Amino acid sequence: MSTITLPGDPPPEGAPPGGRRAAAVWGIGVSVYFVAVIFRTSLGVAGLDAADRFDVNASALSTFSILQLLVYAGMQIPVGLLVDRLGTKKVLAIGVVLFTAGQLGFAFSPTYGTALASRALLGCGDAMTFISVLRLGTRWFPARRGPLVAQLAGLAGMAGNLVSTLLLARLLHGIGWTAAFAGSALAGVVVLVLLLLFLKDHPEGHEPQPFPHRGAAYVRRQVAASWREPGTRLGLWVHFTTQFPAMVFLLLWGMPFLVEAQGLSRATAGELLTLVVLSNMAVGLVYGQVVARHHGARLPLTLGTVGATALLWAATLAYPGEHAPMWLLVALCTVLGACGPASMLGFDFARPANPPERQGTASGITNMGGFVASMSTLFAIGVLLDATGDDYRIAFSSVFVLQALGVSQILRLRSRAARRERERLVASRVSSVHVPA
């Protein structure tokens, strides 16, 4: 039976050592995720330019991000299985090659169709990064560091978003579409070299127990066993409910909403998008420290973030004037910054619910949640904008529907997941007690 370690517990014998070498190796994996997020969110600052370049409406524009997220979400369980089977280094290397090729293809795409294919390829490579980084953290750091390590990985991702918002936006309007996207693709080549030269799946002496693949039956068992755990399902719904409001805002619709619906300049809108990213980075550090010390804070932080996000969106959309005041938009963007760190809490429900050999699969299931929600909302907003003549108030009201669905599932699963987690913790502690013969 696997040993479960909650924050505050002493590390079990044989736990990964952590330390500087662990941080260095893990940092290489995080750098891959950092670049993947730059490529993933590059369309968020280029949405209006893409609409002009390919001469498409709101629904067609949203298809870029929907297809990218559809591929990403659909790849999560296969990637989780691949990570469990092949290890982190091989899966990350494949991911880098794919998302770099996708970014390069997007730079030179002459038509809407080829641009769509490039974003799909990018989404496929992007899908292989985050689960691999989570797995790398569990192999190199003690379990008690899990919440903080996961939040730091998310923080690195938001740093990539920040680079996309600040640097790529300026390059796009300075040197043009092709040069900006093709130049950014060089970052993929750099991290691929670092990965191949220096990354290792695990420290010496901490090789995982081999779990031989037995074909389709093995895959079904892995997925079914992970899904049966209430903690895995709760993690999925936490991720589903918390991640998508900020993801949709940063990935595509934030810039058009702020410019076209709120009458802001692109520069001011870019500053507000930057505020979302900076808030995310600050809140991520706080959430990671809180959960590392108080495991019971996971659910209050989740529901508090959802409630605050819904309240600020409602206030912004229902504001009686033509445009919401700047102080309200600042408050909205600050609260949206908490969505990413809150989504990371989903992995803190799934992680203790599954043994080491299922961590990749369970993380893949959890990670599907937010991207399915984001994909659905991106589609709904695009369709509603076209149907209502660009009425952003109606279009963005779709956010509340998905939040209500997610909260209902969180409340339904929370008791079962907590009970099952307590049972596993007691069982693991009993099994670790040495009884002399």
Side-chain angles (χ1 to χ4, degrees), residues 117-178:
S118 296
R119 295 307 286 186
L121 188 63
L122 191 156
C124 186
D126 183 18
M128 297 183 176
T129 59
F130 188 65
I131 294 175
S132 298
V133 171
L134 287 180
R135 173 63 172 264
L136 197 65
T138 63
R139 292 300 186 197
W140 281 90
F141 293 97
R144 70 181 186 277
R145 301 275 183 88
L148 182 58
V149 169
Q151 288 290 353
L152 289 175
L155 188 68
M158 292 313 297
N161 203 325
L162 188 63
V163 170
S164 179
T165 303
L166 294 178
L167 181 59
L168 189 60
R170 292 182 180 181
L171 288 174
L172 187 65
H173 299 121
I175 62 177
W177 178 283
T178 300

Side-chain angles (χ1 to χ4, degrees), residues 44-228:
V45 298
L48 297 175
D49 300 88
D52 292 337
R53 180 180 176 87
F54 300 111
D55 191 23
V56 294
N57 60 15
S59 296
L61 181 61
S62 66
T63 302
F64 277 123
S65 296
I66 291 168
L67 178 61
Q68 183 179 330
L69 294 185
L70 178 64
V71 172
Y72 187 105
M75 286 288 293
Q76 288 310 292
I77 292 178
V79 168
L81 291 164
L82 281 174
V83 172
D84 287 337
R85 175 63 180 160
L86 300 179
T88 300
K89 184 171 184 175
K90 292 179 181 178
V91 176
L92 274 179
I94 296 170
V96 174
V97 171
L98 292 177
F99 69 60
T100 301
Q103 185 79 339
L104 195 60
F106 196 58
F108 293 100
S109 292
T111 65
Y112 177 68
T114 55
L116 276 178
S118 296
R119 295 307 286 186
L121 188 63
L122 191 156
C124 186
D126 183 18
M128 297 183 176
T129 59
F130 188 65
I131 294 175
S132 298
V133 171
L134 287 180
R135 173 63 172 264
L136 197 65
T138 63
R139 292 300 186 197
W140 281 90
F141 293 97
R144 70 181 186 277
R145 301 275 183 88
L148 182 58
V149 169
Q151 288 290 353
L152 289 175
L155 188 68
M158 292 313 297
N161 203 325
L162 188 63
V163 170
S164 179
T165 303
L166 294 178
L167 181 59
L168 189 60
R170 292 182 180 181
L171 288 174
L172 187 65
H173 299 121
I175 62 177
W177 178 283
T178 300
F181 280 99
S184 66
L186 293 175
V189 178
V190 173
V191 294
L192 179 61
V193 172
L194 291 174
L195 184 159
L196 294 175
L197 290 178
F198 301 112
L199 190 137
K200 290 190 175 183
D201 284 350
H202 47 74
E204 288 80 2
H206 292 270
E207 292 79 5
Q209 180 181 352
F211 291 92
H213 189 287
R214 296 183 178 89
Y218 166 84
V219 172
R220 288 194 296 270
R221 284 197 300 271
Q222 283 283 90
V223 175
S226 296
W227 183 254
R228 278 197 299 269

Side-chain angles (χ1 to χ4, degrees), residues 362-384:
S363 294
I365 292 172
T366 300
N367 208 28
M368 284 179 63
F371 290 92
V372 169
S374 298
M375 180 177 58
S376 303
T377 310
L378 284 166
F379 176 75
I381 290 174
V383 169
L384 289 171

Side-chain angles (χ1 to χ4, degrees), residues 48 255 258-260 262-272 326:
L48 297 175
M255 180 69 77
L258 295 171
V259 173
E260 296 179 351
Q262 299 302 318
L264 302 179
S265 67
R266 287 197 182 197
T268 303
E271 291 172 357
L272 287 174
M326 180 57 70

